[in-house]
Amino acid sequence: MTGFLDSILLFGAPLLQLTIGLIPAAWANARSRWIGRMAEVLALGALLCAVLAGIRFWRQGAESFGWMPSASSATRYLVIDGFVNHVTLLMLLLVSFVGVIVTRYSRNYLDGDHNQGRFHKWLAMTLSAILWLIVSGNLLMFALAWMATSLSLHQLLVFYPERPAAVLAAHKKFVASRLGDLSLLTAVVLIATTLHTLSFGQLYLELASWQGSYPASLRIAALLVVLSAGLKSAQFPFHGWLIQVMEAPTPVSALLHAGIVNAGAFLVIRMSPVMAHAPVAQAILVVVGLVTLALASLVMLTQTSIKVSLAWSTTAQMGFMLLECGFGLYSLAMLHLVAHSLYKAHAFLSSGSGVDAFRGPVLPHASETLQPLRMVLVLLAGSMITYAIAHGYGILPETQPGLLAVSTIIAIAVSQLLLQSLTAMSGRVLLSSGVGLAIVVAVAYFGLHQVFEGVLQSSVMPVSPAHDGLQTGLALTVVAVFMLLFVVQEILRCQPAMLGRSVWVHLYNGLYIDVYFTRMLQKIWPAPTPAPETKPSSLAALRS
């Protein structure tokens, strides 16, 4: 009886969302208001199941149990089972909570739309697929949920099929997702043929005690996991679709940026046992994430559209998250994932009010000229604050080069906070508030990292040691790139003319990287062209 109740708690959240998702679209449109209310009620029910599952399983650690097990050896991979650890519970609570907020927002946002029922159907189906992905206990079930998430999301991205830009972006997302699906399925086959299991529980047990050389098949599987994660999280150079899906309804953007795009990092975290023994795959994650966040963080500063700027911000954050995974900092990546999801859900759902911020009074800046000496002094001060706090938490360069590189990124962020405070405030106010706020930010960041490290210690593979100086070299590269970004961002903020108008234009257009993919896709799978507007006759014009 206890096992049955455990199954109900774990699978209750995706099953409740699936109830709405299985309703035919025409029937849902005919009863759109009722469907909207039911979708909200069942989303609250899914959140309740997630909370009860968290209470039930939190202190038990990792646990695998079957819902529909198969005893036949020929079909031992065809099972529906769950895998519960602290990563599962955090993600289950997070997605269920965001699902409630997005579903509630959608009722008002789409009120009166003739396809409102169909929207709620596919929104619930997408949420159900994400929740199945989270609770999946074996890799085959995980891969099927991975594909279902993308296919359901596609229906939301083309919710307005008369918009060519929306359809083109959906086509790009569809192609990238199918490549990611193929990569993940191939990795699943390689893991199954090598370890003769697809169970996450068995996978963790076998690879945690692995001795000897790592099989080439698992190294290839790790590379395929990196490719699939990069495609799902819109990493360079396949990031264009994420920037261009703004034609979809705002709740779709919120769900995509707050939930689905994070699936790439979740995949790497879930596959941490495979990744922990593959240094080349880890290094590729670091490089791809670094290139993506460097490009996106610069392009973001040139954008004039609030939602487009948020989209570039998401791309940069996904790069940062995968960079953390590449260094083996899975608990830190999980902290980043939770914080980013909550922030982006709020940012997109409140983006309509963003214009109001420009109508309010703004504090005058004492100086907007570039002052190199001030930048150097502030950077030194921010670094001293951050490294002193990091040292207090036991972060040392010889044992954790990746974490030290991330600490440098925090030091630069603290320095930017100090620089903005110094520009806008007097010296005495700076000392009492700016420095104090910087210390609070650094302490909170490293403190939360320690909390997540303790909570997730048994749910992910520990940080592996440096591989022949590879991680140390990557860490130094990350530090150098972020130092350069700090300088370039200050130039763009204070004196963009120093870089020239052409640089600003090129950055505004994303360095035209996505143009080549757009041209290629338009030849293979063109988006519909808008119907030409019919001009009224001369008699009709006179009557009007």
Side-chain angles (χ1 to χ4, degrees), residues 357-376:
F358 293 94
R359 297 173 179 168
V362 179
L363 288 174
H365 290 288
S367 174
E368 284 293 331
T369 60
L370 188 67
Q371 300 185 32
L373 180 59
R374 174 181 289 186
M375 288 174 54
V376 172

Side-chain angles (χ1 to χ4, degrees), residues 18-363:
L18 187 62
T19 304
I20 297 293
L22 293 178
I23 295 176
W27 196 91
N29 281 334
R31 300 160 180 83
S32 59
R33 291 185 179 274
W34 182 84
I35 291 295
R37 287 193 295 269
M38 285 303 300
E40 186 177 352
V41 169
L42 292 180
L44 287 169
L47 177 59
L48 178 61
C49 286
V51 172
L52 294 177
I55 296 173
R56 170 70 180 84
F57 295 112
W58 187 260
R59 295 185 178 276
Q60 295 187 6
E63 180 175 328
S64 297
F65 55 89
W67 185 36
M68 292 177 59
S70 174
S72 171
S73 60
T75 59
R76 65 181 182 273
Y77 298 137
L78 305 178
V79 296
I80 299 177
D81 58 355
F83 181 69
V84 181
N85 59 14
H86 293 130
V87 172
T88 304
L89 298 178
L90 280 173
M91 290 295 296
L92 195 63
L93 288 168
L94 175 66
V95 173
S96 299
F97 175 73
V98 171
V100 170
I101 302 301
V102 172
T103 302
R104 180 69 183 89
Y105 183 93
S106 301
R107 283 189 60 194
N108 295 330
Y109 185 88
L110 289 162
D111 188 28
D113 194 293
H114 66 283
N115 278 324
Q116 181 182 0
R118 180 168 66 89
F119 180 88
H120 283 293
K121 163 194 168 63
W122 286 111
L123 177 62
M125 184 67 81
T126 305
L127 287 168
S128 177
I130 301 171
L131 293 169
W132 280 116
L133 181 74
I134 293 168
V135 302
S136 296
N138 65 80
L139 279 168
L140 182 58
M141 181 177 168
F142 185 97
L144 293 176
W146 179 274
M147 291 185 287
T149 300
S150 174
L151 294 174
S152 300
L153 176 65
H154 182 78
Q155 299 298 322
L156 294 174
L157 295 179
V158 295
F159 184 73
Y160 296 124
E162 68 276 7
R163 299 181 179 180
V167 176
L168 177 60
H171 288 177
K172 289 183 182 180
K173 171 68 171 66
F174 189 88
V175 172
S177 296
R178 300 294 74 77
L179 292 174
D181 295 345
L182 180 61
S183 300
L184 182 58
L185 284 173
T186 306
V188 168
V189 171
L190 290 173
I191 293 172
T193 55
T194 304
L195 300 178
H196 306 290
T197 182
L198 290 180
S199 169
F200 278 118
Q202 291 296 323
L203 188 69
Y204 276 57
L205 288 175
E206 291 195 24
L207 293 180
S209 58
W210 188 271
Q211 299 293 333
S213 61
Y214 205 51
S217 57
L218 294 184
R219 290 198 296 269
I220 296 173
L223 292 173
L224 292 172
V225 166
V226 170
L227 176 60
S228 187
L231 289 167
K232 179 69 81 172
S233 295
Q235 295 298 282
F236 177 88
F238 305 103
H239 59 276
W241 64 266
L242 184 63
I243 312 302
Q244 298 167 359
V245 294
M246 297 299 106
E247 292 289 331
T250 296
V252 179
S253 299
L255 179 63
L256 173 62
H257 289 258
I260 298 175
V261 77
N262 295 307
F266 176 67
L267 170 63
V268 178
I269 294 172
R270 202 52 136 185
M271 300 294 292
S272 60
V274 177
M275 299 297 300
H277 300 279
V280 174
Q282 293 179 16
I284 292 175
L285 263 183
V286 172
V287 172
V288 171
L290 181 61
V291 171
T292 302
L293 71 90
L295 171 67
S297 61
L298 293 177
V299 174
M300 180 182 66
L301 296 176
T302 65
Q303 301 304 304
T304 56
S305 168
I306 294 175
K307 291 179 69 175
V308 173
S309 179
L310 286 173
W312 279 107
S313 170
T314 297
T315 303
Q317 295 294 333
M318 291 303 103
F320 192 8
M321 207 176 295
L322 291 183
L323 181 147
E324 292 166 334
C325 291
F327 280 125
L329 306 174
Y330 300 116
S331 57
L332 193 58
M334 195 68 197
L335 167 62
H336 192 171
L337 190 155
V338 172
H340 176 263
S341 295
L342 295 175
Y343 160 70
K344 272 297 161 60
H346 173 268
F348 270 98
L349 296 180
S350 63
S351 59
S353 305
V355 178
D356 295 337
F358 293 94
R359 297 173 179 168
V362 179
L363 288 174

Side-chain angles (χ1 to χ4, degrees), residues 401-426:
L403 189 53
L404 191 69
V406 175
S407 301
T408 302
I409 298 173
I410 302 304
I412 293 174
V414 168
S415 301
Q416 289 177 325
L417 179 63
L418 290 174
L419 191 60
Q420 293 174 7
S421 300
L422 185 62
T423 303
M425 303 177 185
S426 66

